[in-house]
Amino acid sequence: MQNALILGLSWPSLETFRDWVIVVYGLMGIIAFFLVIVILLLMIWMLRGVRGSVRSLIEDPIRPTLDEVRKTAQNIRGTSEFVADSAIHPVIRTVSAVRGIRRGIASIAGIRPRRR
């Protein structure tokens, strides 16, 4: 019963039909596989473009702000060095000299230093 005659038509055998289904299914699988690869490559390419756009949008307002913060920090550092050199260091030297003189006089005179 390889070729059954139904209504005057000859049908292929079930094995031949099965083989054709396997071949067609395999070809469709290969085509689907390549389509998935192409779609994934396009998505990767698009994501890289979006990532670059987002990065430029984020860095655009942040970069000038960071530059201003850096300049402000340098100004503060310069101001603090100026104040330290012109006001604090002379006061420290004066206080230490006065304490040294007081302690020297106290040791010569035999006076004990005050307890705090």
Side-chain angles (χ1 to χ4, degrees):
M1 197 160 154
Q2 273 189 336
N3 288 334
L5 189 61
I6 301 174
L7 298 175
L9 298 172
S10 85
W11 292 90
S13 67
L14 190 57
E15 291 86 15
T16 307
F17 182 71
R18 179 198 64 201
D19 293 342
W20 278 104
V21 168
I22 290 171
V23 169
V24 170
Y25 183 74
L27 289 174
M28 289 175 62
I30 291 171
I31 292 170
F33 179 71
F34 284 118
L35 284 176
V36 167
I37 288 175
V38 168
I39 290 171
L40 285 176
L41 290 175
L42 285 174
M43 286 177 60
I44 289 171
W45 179 70
M46 290 172 66
L47 285 174
R48 284 186 179 182
V50 168
R51 186 179 66 178
S53 298
V54 168
R55 181 180 294 158
S56 66
L57 285 174
I58 289 174
E59 288 180 358
D60 189 34
I62 290 176
R63 198 164 275 177
T65 305
L66 289 176
D67 291 340
E68 290 299 320
V69 168
R70 189 175 297 120
K71 288 177 185 176
T72 303
Q74 289 173 350
N75 286 341
I76 291 172
R77 184 178 299 125
T79 303
S80 64
E81 287 177 3
F82 172 75
V83 169
D85 289 342
S86 62
I88 296 173
H89 290 157
V91 170
I92 291 173
R93 283 190 209 109
T94 304
V95 169
S96 62
V98 169
R99 283 189 179 176
I101 292 171
R102 283 179 62 191
R103 195 156 286 180
I105 291 173
S107 66
I108 291 174
I111 304 172
R112 291 189 176 193
R114 289 187 244 160
R115 297 230 170 181
R116 295 183 187 187

